[in-house]
Amino acid sequence: MTAALVVAVTVTAVLLTLAGIASTLARRRIGLLHLVGAALLEVLLLVQAVVAVVRLAQGETPADTPTFLGYLAGAVLLPIAGALWARTEPTRWAGTVLAVAAGTVGVMVWRLQQLWEATGG
């Protein structure tokens, strides 16, 4: 885990959350901006996952590896699931679906960082 990527993921997740809330308040479905934001968030999460897996392969491990891997997998899958669900949502609540997914990812990456740092990794 790298702090710079955690911050980048968090900023992207917050911006995507705000975009989702804005579209809900405007009573509109999500658009290209939302999908690009979700894709950027996913790319950052995949980079973070590769970094974490490489460091795990090098012998650095968090205190609770199964929990760490569960959070990592969940964080990587959430933007995809949120974007797919939001695209199929025919109402204005699609933005809220995406906002919840992005907000959850923002919290999960900080939890991942806490789990990683618990051992000084």
Side-chain angles (χ1 to χ4, degrees):
M1 299 298 294
T2 61
L5 277 172
V6 170
V7 171
V9 168
T10 303
V11 169
T12 305
V14 167
L15 292 174
L16 185 56
T17 300
L18 292 175
I21 291 170
S23 68
T24 299
L25 293 175
R27 298 177 184 251
R28 300 196 183 262
R29 295 189 63 200
I30 64 168
L32 184 60
L33 173 73
H34 298 89
L35 296 177
V36 168
L40 176 61
L41 182 60
E42 183 64 24
V43 167
L44 290 170
L45 288 167
L46 288 172
V47 170
Q48 184 73 291
V50 168
V51 168
V53 168
V54 166
R55 290 181 71 181
L56 285 169
Q58 291 174 344
E60 299 179 46
T61 58
D64 191 359
T65 303
T67 301
F68 178 84
L69 292 174
Y71 268 90
L72 187 61
V76 168
L77 293 175
L78 263 172
I80 296 168
L84 290 174
W85 184 3
R87 287 296 296 158
T88 61
E89 179 63 43
T91 67
R92 69 181 176 129
W93 296 106
T96 303
V97 169
L98 199 55
V100 169
T104 303
V105 167
V107 172
M108 288 177 79
V109 293
W110 283 100
R111 180 63 181 136
L112 280 166
Q113 184 72 11
Q114 287 176 338
L115 287 167
W116 190 263
E117 289 178 346
T119 60

